[in-house]
Amino acid sequence: MLLKAQLVSVLLYALVLAANAHMAAWSRGMYCMKGRGGENNMNNNLPVNPLVDLTQKDWWFQHYQGCDKEPPPAGDYLELPAGGSFTVEIATNRAFTTFGHNRNFNGYFGGPQELEYTPWGCVSDPNLHTPNQDSAPGTVFAISYQNSIDKVTPENLVVFTVRYKTPWQRVTSYDVPKDLPPCPPGGCTCAWGWIPMGCGQPNMYMQGHKCIVTGSTSTKKLAVAKPPVYCENDRSKCVKGAKQMIFYFQKDGNNVFNVPKMPTYNEVMGFSEGAQNDIFEDSNLVSTVGNVLLNSYVNLPSNCYSVSNLPTNTEWTLVTNVYSPVASNAMIVESREELKSISTDSITTETSSQITSSDKSPINGTDMKTEFDNSPKKTI
């Protein structure tokens, strides 16, 4: 009975962690900035929702919650200066950016300025899925030269910039390849994404932006993007040239399978930091990825465990101590349904179709699609 009580306590804590806000990259050109259905929600956190165990139709550009149908106003773009850099705001909620009520918001973090931690040392609010900045797994932007989001495919959506040790602070800049060509009329379609290295449930992020390349006269063309490959211990296996975003932890549409550790946007999967200058059809494909091996653990603290038995495209088995050390190494959640079966008056569950925007629900579409009735909105 004691072990069962401990397990229930641990699972409830995991659900509380899942209910905390996640992160999105906020820009003028982002999809779902204002919410859905013509609203202008200054307290919007819809775009921050992670993606896990969904069909490709649903996870692609957050279709399951309608964000792919909420483009920015005509003429609003995320501007990408060729050979320069651009800046976005990584935050848990529109209210924690300069796009919210306070246009002069200057917080270092895109959420509460006093970080909250789990008992095992992970930052839980804002939910950065990391114990510290050095352990942050990296984030990327990818670009497709399609002006309609409906025409974007994994093959024409190419990762063009990588920033290591993110997400962490709110104001984050990314470098742009100098040979990135101009976009077609109507602009390009971009996506921001990341894969958490640990500290919570495994999931992925893919968030849409309308973007445009400025200051470019290049006539180069992007090569067809290939799926990245795990190559931490053998650089000869790294995919050179144009790479797709990492698609993992989903029911279908995955492009990475059976890797020995979390497939993150850094040397583990062959991504160098900064502008990806080898993504063109005529690129000299010489690997620029360093030879420094990353730590073989999910997180750096000594109380974390090595990754094993990660979910494939056909199974979802979460060993809780892979991400969060708990009372017993033997505590295993056999399925996500087991988490949902816990009885408590403070928890309700929603299906994807029932998730509404944040003016109606304080927590939108968390990892487990779980809403805590008494959770306050994050406002400033």
Side-chain angles (χ1 to χ4, degrees), residues 206-261:
M206 183 188 191
Q207 176 209 352
H209 296 252
K210 288 291 290 185
C211 54
I212 190 168
V213 179
T214 62
S216 175
T217 58
S218 173
T219 58
K220 292 191 175 185
K221 295 182 179 180
L222 298 188
V224 175
K226 299 178 181 179
V229 172
Y230 173 80
C231 61
E232 181 184 19
N233 300 313
D234 185 351
R235 293 299 172 213
S236 67
K237 294 182 179 179
C238 293
V239 173
K240 301 175 180 63
K243 289 185 278 294
Q244 297 176 13
M245 297 180 73
I246 298 169
F247 306 131
Y248 201 40
F249 307 120
Q250 309 306 317
K251 286 182 178 177
D252 58 42
N254 297 313
N255 63 0
V256 174
F257 306 93
N258 301 320
V259 290
K261 65 188 302 182

Side-chain angles (χ1 to χ4, degrees), residues 220-221 223 279-285:
K220 292 191 175 185
K221 295 182 179 180
I279 59 177
F280 307 101
E281 289 182 346
D282 62 350
S283 294
N284 180 17
L285 300 183

Side-chain angles (χ1 to χ4, degrees), residues 316-318 332-341 368:
W316 198 97
T317 302
L318 173 60
I332 297 176
V333 181
E334 296 295 345
S335 69
R336 302 199 310 141
E337 294 303 318
E338 184 176 334
L339 282 176
K340 294 180 181 179
S341 67
M368 303 301 300

